[in-house]
Amino acid sequence: MLKAEDLKIHYGHVEAVKGISFEVEAGEIVTIIGSNGAGKSSTLRGISNIEDKAGGKVIFQGEDITSLPAHEIVDKGICHVPEGRHIFSQLTVEENLYMGSYSKTDQTKAEYQDKLARMYDIFPRLKERRNQDGGNLSGGEQQMLAIARGLMMDPVIMMLDEPSLGLAPLLVEQIIKLIKEINEDLGTTILLVEQNARKALSIAHRGYVMETGNIIMSDRREKLINDPKLAEAYLGVG
Amino acid sequence: MFGFYLSQLFNGITQGSIYALMAIGYSLIFGTLGLVTFAYGDIVIFGVFVGYYFYAVLGLNLILAMLLALPITFLFGVLVEKICYEKFRKEARMLMLITTVGFGIFLRSASQIIFGTGNKSIPTLIEGKIEIGNLNILYIQLGIIIFTLIFIYALRYFLNNTRTGIGIRALSMDQDAAKLVGVNVDKSIKFGHSLGVVLGVFGGIMLGSFYNAISPMMGPNLGLKAFTAVVLGGITSIPGAVIGGYILGIMENLAVAVFSSGYRDVVAFIILIIVLVVKPSGLFGKEVKF
């Protein structure tokens, strides 16, 4: 469904992503794990075209979307929940959710209200805080809001960048469970970028391991979990 | 004596309305581009001259000529955005800043060549006055105040209740996030910038109509007034810009009443310096971090 071929991203002379290729099939949860600075976030930013690519191709549902502007990539059904959540801090929670449906120009008011109600069902905390500014929410609530805002787009694929970053263990647990539910209940394909390899692999079907701009390993989840080298480097065992 | 101060106060409110209009335009531009502009006053005056050209040279009806100037300056705003900002989005911010300084000088000089260097007189858009005791209120003053309020509420409605408006607010807070929810950031920036220009030009037309004179040299001074009003109000706050505009207008006219008309422009500088020293975030702004 989503395919990156020889993707390269450079910041000046720094090669953050050095020509990687990977693929996500419909219905999968695929994770890209790796330590800080491995080029995971840059990869996602390259796909959604908020970062210029130095080379390579991105194919989505058979269509070359390599050089589409960011807002048209959203129209295709690719949702990117960025690292650090990027909530609109001075918009209310509800306005943030409204912004999630920004690209849905053909949606009726009733459909919008319906979707909003569904989000409030899934995230009761957001309903309680619907009229507060997004910036006043706690980290966990902001992450929920970022995901809910993404779901308002009815995405075909959701790319989540470090959704567990900076959250308390209990919240991490909740977010990971939520991602699995989005995949299973809504049928949304997931590309999950995480430093928390153990958590990511607990729900993923397949995984890629990135190190200094390259993919150094890719396999099914069971294989990755049991790989001794990986366990030592990323899973904190051994 | 009391009547004199009262009429100066009323003049101040009128003048404040004009500043408020220019200030919300400026604030909108600052919000969408995230940067101050030094070409604003010159762009505004250029816009008023476009209206003047339709009226004085092409012989159109005055009100029609001024109304025509608004959509034209909207398009002109798009052009300005292309020249001053679009190419430099990914470069150092300082580049855009310098470009606006240069563009302001260019536009002022071009206006002088096209329209002449001297003052041009514009008749009042609405003639007549009402007298209450010894207070004279011109219809144009009432018109300015009412139009300003209409524009403020229209802008507020636009920014809070329309898709494009909420999108502009969103992109002013976080451009990447705005892109990721599908905002065409380039288009929205152009729209916000042009809307700001049109608000300023409308303010300029009101000013020209109130004082019956315009000149290409008024640009930098007007730009400074708008800048002072938004800094006073807290630069990204639209209500702040309105209040800043009114305070500036009233203070100026009271200074004229107490001292002499030569002190009018000093007031803006004094306010600007005091605000920057005492409370750089302005009355309603978020705390500024450097």
Side-chain angles (χ1 to χ4, degrees):
Chain A
M1 170 189 267
L2 180 72
K3 207 157 120 189
E5 292 171 5
D6 198 26
L7 197 67
K8 292 189 181 103
I9 293 159
H10 298 173
Y11 299 103
H13 294 292
V14 181
E15 298 176 22
V17 179
K18 300 171 182 166
I20 63 168
S21 302
F22 62 90
E23 204 172 335
V24 184
E25 298 290 349
E28 276 190 309
I29 301 181
V30 172
T31 181
I32 302 178
I33 52 182
S35 56
N36 202 4
K40 309 182 302 298
S41 293
S42 301
T43 303
L44 293 195
R45 292 173 65 86
I47 292 172
S48 42
N49 227 349
I50 49 174
E51 207 69 71
D52 288 339
K53 293 179 276 290
K57 252 170 127 177
V58 182
I59 314 281
F60 181 63
Q61 295 181 320
E63 190 185 346
D64 187 341
I65 58 159
T66 312
S67 42
L68 281 187
H71 63 272
E72 284 180 35
I73 289 181
V74 172
D75 290 343
K76 298 280 174 205
I78 300 181
C79 159
H80 177 177
V81 181
E83 180 181 357
R85 338 204 205 284
H86 284 260
I87 292 304
F88 299 113
S89 56
Q90 290 151 63
L91 294 188
T92 64
V93 167
E94 193 148 316
E95 283 174 327
N96 267 282
L97 291 172
Y98 173 80
M99 281 308 293
S101 67
Y102 190 89
S103 60
K104 297 270 151 201
T105 41
D106 52 353
Q107 173 179 270
T108 65
K109 223 179 160 113
E111 283 169 336
Y112 166 73
Q113 288 299 343
D114 216 46
K115 226 190 296 174
L116 194 64
R118 235 181 311 145
M119 287 309 132
Y120 286 147
D121 269 353
I122 308 176
F123 305 100
R125 280 298 275 172
L126 296 184
K127 186 173 190 176
E128 283 168 36
R129 300 185 160 243
R130 63 204 288 176
N131 293 321
Q132 285 189 28
D133 280 359
N136 292 340
L137 301 187
S138 72
E141 289 165 344
Q142 284 192 3
Q143 188 60 61
M144 306 265 178
L145 179 56
I147 293 175
R149 185 178 65 184
L151 286 175
M152 291 295 285
M153 297 174 203
D154 290 328
V156 179
I157 181 169
M158 201 170 204
M159 309 193 296
L160 296 127
D161 194 351
E162 305 269 12
S164 76
L165 196 70
L167 299 185
L170 208 65
L171 275 169
V172 173
E173 216 52 67
Q174 242 183 60
I175 296 276
I176 292 290
K177 192 167 146 256
L178 176 71
I179 294 169
K180 194 171 160 65
E181 282 167 5
I182 292 170
N183 174 255
E184 283 172 356
D185 302 348
L186 305 176
T188 313
T189 307
I190 305 277
L191 176 57
L192 172 64
V193 157
E194 262 297 339
Q195 277 186 59
N196 191 337
R198 181 181 298 278
K199 283 281 164 265
L201 284 174
S202 72
I203 55 164
H205 302 110
R206 290 190 300 121
Y208 293 87
V209 183
M210 262 187 105
E211 209 174 272
T212 56
N214 291 307
I215 289 180
I216 55 160
M217 203 187 285
S218 79
D219 219 322
R220 299 207 57 78
R221 156 186 181 234
E222 304 77 29
K223 290 271 180 57
L224 287 177
I225 290 180
N226 295 320
D227 188 282
K229 247 170 50 200
L230 188 75
E232 192 178 337
Y234 297 104
L235 301 178
V237 196
Chain B
M1 200 57 195
F2 178 70
F4 171 69
Y5 281 107
L6 199 63
S7 79
Q8 281 301 335
L9 180 67
F10 203 73
N11 283 340
I13 293 171
T14 311
Q15 185 113 24
S17 297
I18 294 167
Y19 290 156
L21 270 173
M22 292 185 179
I24 54 176
Y26 195 107
S27 181
L28 194 60
I29 291 175
F30 180 87
T32 47
L33 290 159
L35 201 69
V36 295
T37 157
F38 291 109
Y40 189 63
D42 293 308
I43 294 168
V44 164
I45 283 298
F46 180 79
V48 183
F49 263 104
V50 170
Y52 174 80
Y53 189 85
F54 284 139
Y55 161 71
V57 181
L58 301 182
L60 290 184
N61 167 284
L62 181 63
I63 293 177
L64 181 67
M66 292 304 170
L67 279 178
L68 260 181
L70 298 179
I72 288 174
T73 42
F74 186 90
L75 294 178
F76 183 65
V78 175
L79 182 72
V80 172
E81 203 281 336
K82 257 187 156 4
I83 295 171
C84 293
Y85 302 100
E86 193 189 291
K87 292 281 174 288
F88 306 113
R89 294 245 168 90
K90 288 175 182 165
E91 309 294 333
R93 317 282 289 149
M94 192 54 87
L95 271 181
M96 298 188 193
L97 214 68
I98 304 280
T99 318
T100 65
V101 175
F103 189 80
I105 296 171
F106 162 76
L107 199 59
R108 199 178 321 141
S109 311
S111 302
Q112 284 175 290
I113 294 168
I114 302 169
F115 306 113
T117 50
N119 282 337
K120 296 282 181 291
S121 70
I122 309 185
T124 305
L125 283 166
I126 325 160
E127 298 283 356
K129 64 177 179 185
I130 10 174
E131 284 176 46
I132 304 166
N134 48 9
L135 178 66
N136 282 331
I137 298 175
L138 305 174
Y139 283 152
I140 184 71
Q141 288 184 296
L142 288 176
I144 288 170
I145 293 167
I146 290 166
F147 271 124
T148 303
L149 293 177
I150 290 173
F151 268 86
I152 290 168
Y153 277 96
L155 182 68
R156 213 177 97 128
Y157 182 85
F158 168 73
L159 289 174
N160 287 323
N161 298 293
T162 69
R163 176 171 174 270
T164 314
I166 299 174
I168 286 176
R169 277 166 66 214
L171 89 85
S172 77
M173 293 164 209
D174 193 327
Q175 261 190 39
D176 274 353
K179 283 182 191 170
L180 291 180
V181 293
V183 178
N184 183 340
V185 165
D186 183 62
K187 226 167 102 188
S188 291
I189 286 180
K190 285 195 170 60
F191 191 89
H193 176 266
S194 285
L195 195 61
V197 167
V198 168
L199 286 167
V201 170
F202 189 79
I205 291 171
M206 295 291 118
L207 187 79
S209 186
F210 186 42
Y211 288 108
N212 303 119
I214 50 166
S215 125
M217 301 311 289
M218 286 162 77
N221 193 6
L222 279 186
L224 174 83
K225 300 290 173 68
F227 181 67
T228 305
V230 289
V231 168
L232 177 59
I235 196 151
T236 53
S237 160
I238 303 263
V242 172
I243 292 167
Y246 277 108
I247 293 178
L248 179 60
I250 292 167
M251 298 275 272
E252 269 190 18
N253 281 278
L254 289 184
V256 170
V258 176
F259 306 108
S260 79
S261 61
Y263 284 90
R264 176 184 292 280
D265 292 337
V266 180
V267 174
F269 282 109
I270 293 175
I271 291 179
L272 188 58
I273 291 167
I274 292 175
V275 172
L276 288 178
V277 171
V278 179
K279 197 169 187 300
S281 57
L283 296 173
F284 303 95
K286 300 260 171 218
E287 281 310 311
V288 193
K289 287 196 198 88
F290 290 103

